[in-house]
Amino acid sequence: MNYPTQTIIPTGYRQNAKGDLVPEDRIKAVDKLRDEVVLSIVGFAKDLREQMLTFKLVTMAQIDDFSELSASEYGVKVGGSKGNVLLTSFDGKYQVRRAVGEHRVFDERIQTAKTLIDDCIKSWSGGADTRLMAMVEHAFRINQQGRIDVNQVLSLRQLDIDDSNWKKAMDAIADAIQITGTSQYLRLYERQANGKYTQLPLDISTL
């Protein structure tokens, strides 16, 4: 297998975006300064990203350890990261929340559910309410990831429709859900003067 080799840049040259080697004395001062600014920002961001990753790993481990310790008082062994956890400081000012979210997708049975729903709509005398038909089409549309949105389809199960075939379709929707994995989310909250908790943003775009 052939692997790409890294270009050795001679002293006094810089490599441009096309891969060409350009002599330093032919590069404008403003272009050099722009390059330094970008590399400085990206370097800082990479260091910060590593710090945030370390923070998340250490914090998750602390939550697991404390949960295990707290459960041991009742003779219970928790055994790893399971479920959501809410920890509150003694003065109630701060909260740390670990949330576990499931990655859900539909298997091939979702097409069966869609067929059953279509059959229901066709069989109802006078046809279905146009709003219901629009809701069904909206629920089964393909999202940007090329998949049917699970939450959108599950919203149909909230409709109170007294029809055996419709209920069979809703059962097929539930059976078609597959759990492909989980993700852990860490959120920090601070209590405000009005007693409500607001999230401490860890997203740079919200600062």
Side-chain angles (χ1 to χ4, degrees):
M1 182 180 292
N2 295 324
Y3 295 95
T5 57
Q6 186 174 2
T7 302
I8 299 176
I9 302 176
T11 302
Y13 287 81
R14 292 194 191 188
Q15 189 176 39
N16 64 16
K18 296 186 294 184
D20 301 328
L21 294 177
V22 181
E24 289 272 1
D25 57 8
R26 293 182 57 186
I27 303 174
K28 295 181 180 180
V30 68
D31 293 334
K32 292 181 181 179
L33 182 58
R34 182 188 304 108
D35 185 54
E36 292 173 7
V37 169
V38 171
L39 294 181
S40 174
I41 293 173
V42 171
F44 192 7
K46 286 186 174 181
D47 290 341
L48 181 59
R49 183 179 182 277
E50 288 298 320
Q51 293 178 40
M52 293 182 69
L53 177 59
T54 301
F55 165 73
K56 181 178 181 180
L57 293 175
V58 171
T59 301
M60 291 299 189
Q62 286 181 305
I63 293 174
D64 285 342
D65 291 344
F66 177 76
S67 298
E68 193 74 30
L69 176 64
S70 179
S72 68
E73 292 191 0
Y74 300 93
V76 176
K77 183 174 178 58
V78 177
S81 303
K82 296 181 182 295
N84 300 335
V85 174
L86 170 62
L87 305 177
T88 305
S89 63
F90 188 73
D91 61 3
K93 186 174 182 180
Y94 299 103
Q95 288 186 340
V96 176
R97 302 183 188 183
R98 183 190 70 195
V100 179
E102 295 179 334
H103 302 298
R104 301 178 298 175
V105 297
F106 287 122
D107 63 20
E108 76 288 346
R109 287 173 287 187
I110 194 61
Q111 298 303 327
T112 300
K114 179 62 164 61
T115 300
L116 288 170
I117 291 174
D118 289 342
D119 289 345
C120 282
I121 293 176
K122 292 176 183 177
S123 67
W124 292 334
S125 59
D129 188 303
T130 55
R131 291 175 297 178
L132 173 59
M133 295 174 65
M135 286 180 62
V136 170
E137 292 304 317
H138 178 77
F140 279 89
R141 68 178 181 174
I142 303 299
N143 61 22
Q144 293 181 342
Q145 288 72 42
R147 297 175 179 173
I148 297 174
D149 189 288
V150 173
N151 292 328
Q152 289 285 356
V153 176
L154 287 179
S155 67
L156 297 176
R157 289 171 54 85
Q158 299 175 4
L159 300 176
D160 185 17
I161 297 178
D162 187 14
D163 184 285
S164 59
N165 288 331
W166 177 269
K167 292 178 180 179
K168 186 186 298 184
M170 296 303 102
D171 290 340
I173 287 174
D175 292 339
I177 297 176
Q178 298 292 319
I179 307 299
T180 60
T182 59
S183 294
Q184 293 188 19
Y185 302 94
L186 178 67
R187 298 183 179 93
L188 311 179
Y189 294 84
E190 183 177 25
R191 189 176 63 188
Q192 305 302 309
N194 60 5
K196 294 183 178 180
Y197 285 92
T198 59
Q199 187 173 347
L200 296 174
L202 297 177
D203 184 350
I204 191 172
S205 63
T206 61
L207 297 177

